[in-house]
Amino acid sequence: MKKLLKSLGPVSAIIGAQWGDEGKGKATDILSEHYDVIARACGGANAGHTIVIDGKKHIFHLLPSGCMHEGKTVVIGAGLVLHLPTLLEEIQTLKTHGIEVLNRLFISPEAHILFDFHKEIDGVMERMREEKRGQGIGTTKRGIGPAYMDKAARIGIRMEQLGCDLTGELTQRRDQVKNMYGIDIDVKLEIDNLRRAASLLQNRIVDTIDLLHELLEEGKTLLVEGAQATLLDIDHGTYPFVTSSSTTAAGALQGLGIAPKMLTSCIGVAKAYCTRVGSGPFLTEMQGELAERIRKRGGEYGATTGRPRRCGWLHLPDLIRTARINGYTHWNITKLDVLDSEEQICVGTGKRSSAEAEYAVLPGWQESTVGLTKFSALPKNAQKYIEFIEEQTGIPAALIGTGQAREQMIIRS
Ligand code: IMP
């Protein structure tokens, strides 16, 4: 671990290489123990990571997974869209389990507030897309698109306004939203939510750019926890089947107000196979029994929506592309054990046609890798699979997941 930490340096980002759900939370959890500050930069409650507290599973959407470690400074950056009742609930859940996060949480005044009405608009827009195009995006219905629409249209409400009386602004929005989407905004409910949030969060809103830079100047270390993943990026993802934020390393730095030159490493997280929730192209998608088997073994059901995830093989051109976009320095290949009983492992190497991938076929290992913590202990064919990914992408696999538990991880320097 020491050698790995040295190679990661003081400012590291963890960025998904596929369509999300790569298991970024586990690497974050392991690494955040060794960093002073943990920050989330973009997205909103569309993200979902499972945290086990006292043997009970909790799904968190807004707080970074690293906040579980007592004493770490937790930053929520400007790039986020915050549904405040969700944030309050997460803080409260941790509190009831004896984890106090509020006194070490810092929220950017530039982060946008995501209201309940954004969620309703999300639902209406999704129905409109289904009617018009015959297919929706399959959003998480958490209001992400509509909140970022308001931000881009420069009519969003930011955390800096939390303590203000927003009745006038919201009443005006109510008429607009009614006209455009036929939705009735419950102004009183939104105001009540804001009041509740203000009483708890008002003094947690600080200039997080100053805070982060001052901490870094003091020699503190920073772990940036990416949300969603590169193939869902608004610019570089599989548009229009993407989320509405910049999910790349550059997007995360922008969301936090940190200059690109300060990033010392970027860990790309990719499953040993691939999954996707929601609609959109998926060249290496598995079908039938194979898909079912991988879905079951990998527990591939959405953390935020519970939807079964579409499963497929790894697609090298995507890994190479996302590595270029993000400047990955290390891979975290997750869930290798899910492939344990496969006779053959396919890896997409390119396109045969617009709908069909070309594959390299590698022999499977058909032995359990569950819980292995040493690369040399992996079956030879599993080693070869990882080495194939490393050779093809030119990036070392520093972390390899071999099971759900925190300790089920191979850590290489
Ligand atoms: P939205 O972010 O809710 O607008 O959803 C847009 C697309 O991104 C949909 O296909 C979602 O399923 C997907 N998506 C958003 N957040 C996540 C995530 O955290 N993991 C996986 N997929 C996500």
Side-chain angles (χ1 to χ4, degrees), residues 19-22 24 44-48 122 126 129 137-146 227-229 232 240-245 276-280 304-305 307 309:
W19 283 290
D21 311 313
E22 295 91 350
K24 296 180 284 291
N46 45 351
D122 201 356
E126 191 68 349
R129 280 187 289 260
I137 293 171
T139 72
T140 59
K141 306 236 171 83
R142 295 298 171 114
I144 305 301
Q228 290 77 48
L232 286 174
F241 302 101
V242 293
T243 189
S244 297
S245 60
R276 171 164 211 174
V277 260
S279 323
T304 300
T305 58
R307 291 179 288 180
R309 296 178 185 141

Side-chain angles (χ1 to χ4, degrees), residues 333-344:
I333 304 294
T334 64
K335 298 180 111 170
L336 182 68
D337 57 296
V338 173
L339 298 179
D340 278 355
S341 57
E342 295 307 312
E343 220 173 292
Q344 289 186 328

Side-chain angles (χ1 to χ4, degrees), residues 10 34 44 81 130 151 183 194 208 245 259 261 275 325 366:
H34 305 276
V81 284
E130 278 160 15
K151 174 176 173 172
I183 290 169
L194 287 172
T208 48
S245 60
K261 68 174 181 186
T275 61
I325 292 170
Q366 299 190 286

Side-chain angles (χ1 to χ4, degrees), residues 345-356:
I345 313 287
C346 299
V347 184
T349 52
K351 263 188 194 172
R352 180 169 300 162
S353 67
S354 62
E356 233 190 322

